[in-house]
Amino acid sequence: MKLYTSHTSPFGRKVRVVLLEKKIEFQWIEEQPNTPGSLIASLNPLGKVPALLLDDGKPLYDSSVIVDYLDQVSPVARLIPAEHRQAIGVKRWEALADGIVDAAVLAFLERRRPAAKQSEEWITRQLEKVDRGLFMLSADLSDRKWCFGGHFSLADIAVGCCLGYLNLRMPALGWADRHPNLAVLFEQLNQRPSFQETQPPVG
Ligand SMILES: N[C@@H](CCC(=O)N[C@@H](CS)C(=O)NCC(=O)O)C(=O)O
């Protein structure tokens, strides 16, 4: 299978961490979705990375569908519980972490537009989502070691990729000082080879 993603995409990173944790072999094809000539729209009509091209030629998207698929195809290191209510619990964490990233991406892209075209109101709206989302992640984690079910799961992977993205694009946000329990989780995740191998580039 071939994974099309950029090296900075937090959604692509989530998929790469899952592939590594589950020891599934794959070919990584670097794809910058915003670059002219990008092939991504031929795999995903939404023009977004990541997309996973299966060996039978079928492309899968988005990242939450891909990781669900990957967890089902290999029994190694299950990341989503089999029991439905528990699976929903894990996916709820994933939805919140991914949603924080969506808002952070929108704020980041808005700030890249020419100054005269930027909307401070729009940026504030997105940053409020980020703030509220982090607050909820922190409250839900409380003093537990892992996000859900007392063990490492997709919930932790999604949260770790979200926090890594905030560090990459919004280093001044100061989430770690405001939510020390998330910082402890992040530190713990960064010791895993799957997180180390997928570190976003510095700068
Ligand atoms: N919900 C999607 C979000 C993917 C996404 O937003 N990817 C960004 C890169 S981080 C992208 O490809 N953006 C290009 C665009 O929106 O045109 C997923 O989880 O896969």
Side-chain angles (χ1 to χ4, degrees):
M1 56 181 80
K2 292 180 182 168
L3 178 67
Y4 292 77
T5 191
S6 72
H7 59 295
T8 51
S9 168
F11 304 104
R13 186 183 188 199
K14 184 178 61 171
V15 173
R16 284 160 58 215
V17 169
V18 166
L19 284 158
L20 290 167
E21 289 285 343
K22 294 185 71 70
K23 304 190 190 318
I24 297 173
E25 285 193 19
F26 68 105
Q27 187 184 345
W28 173 9
I29 296 169
E30 174 71 23
E31 191 64 44
Q32 302 279 350
N34 299 320
T35 303
S38 164
L39 296 174
I40 196 67
S42 64
L43 295 169
N44 176 358
L46 301 175
K48 294 184 182 196
V49 295
L52 184 74
L53 186 61
L54 301 182
D55 292 342
D56 66 5
K58 192 170 187 65
L60 285 187
Y61 45 83
D62 62 15
S63 65
S64 60
V65 172
I66 297 172
V67 295
D68 199 334
Y69 169 80
L70 293 171
D71 203 40
Q72 298 286 331
V73 291
S74 164
V76 174
R78 290 307 295 259
L79 297 168
I80 304 172
E83 199 273 319
H84 184 243
R85 266 193 92 92
Q86 291 201 9
I88 292 297
V90 165
K91 284 165 185 269
R92 181 176 181 270
W93 277 92
E94 184 191 18
L96 181 53
D98 284 5
I100 293 170
V101 175
D102 280 331
V105 167
L106 289 175
F108 174 73
L109 291 178
E110 184 70 11
R111 281 198 176 129
R112 280 182 139 185
R113 300 176 75 212
K117 291 191 173 168
Q118 289 180 25
S119 162
E120 271 313 310
E121 194 188 337
W122 174 254
I123 292 172
T124 301
R125 198 172 131 88
Q126 302 311 321
L127 293 181
E128 283 172 356
K129 292 175 199 277
V130 173
D131 273 354
R132 287 196 303 267
L134 287 170
F135 186 85
M136 188 55 70
L137 289 181
S138 174
D140 281 354
L141 178 62
S142 186
D143 60 356
R144 284 177 293 112
K145 183 175 179 189
W146 300 112
C147 295
F148 189 89
H151 52 80
F152 177 72
S153 74
L154 176 63
D156 305 291
I157 295 175
V159 171
C161 292
C162 164
L163 298 174
Y165 181 75
L166 295 179
N167 279 355
L168 176 71
R169 296 301 194 210
M170 298 183 172
L173 198 63
W175 63 265
D177 292 336
R178 280 184 286 133
H179 305 294
N181 61 340
L182 292 179
V184 171
L185 174 70
F186 189 58
E187 177 66 32
Q188 185 177 270
L189 289 169
N190 280 329
Q191 283 162 23
R192 299 182 81 86
S194 61
F195 270 79
Q196 286 171 4
E197 277 184 44
T198 59
Q199 285 290 344
V202 180

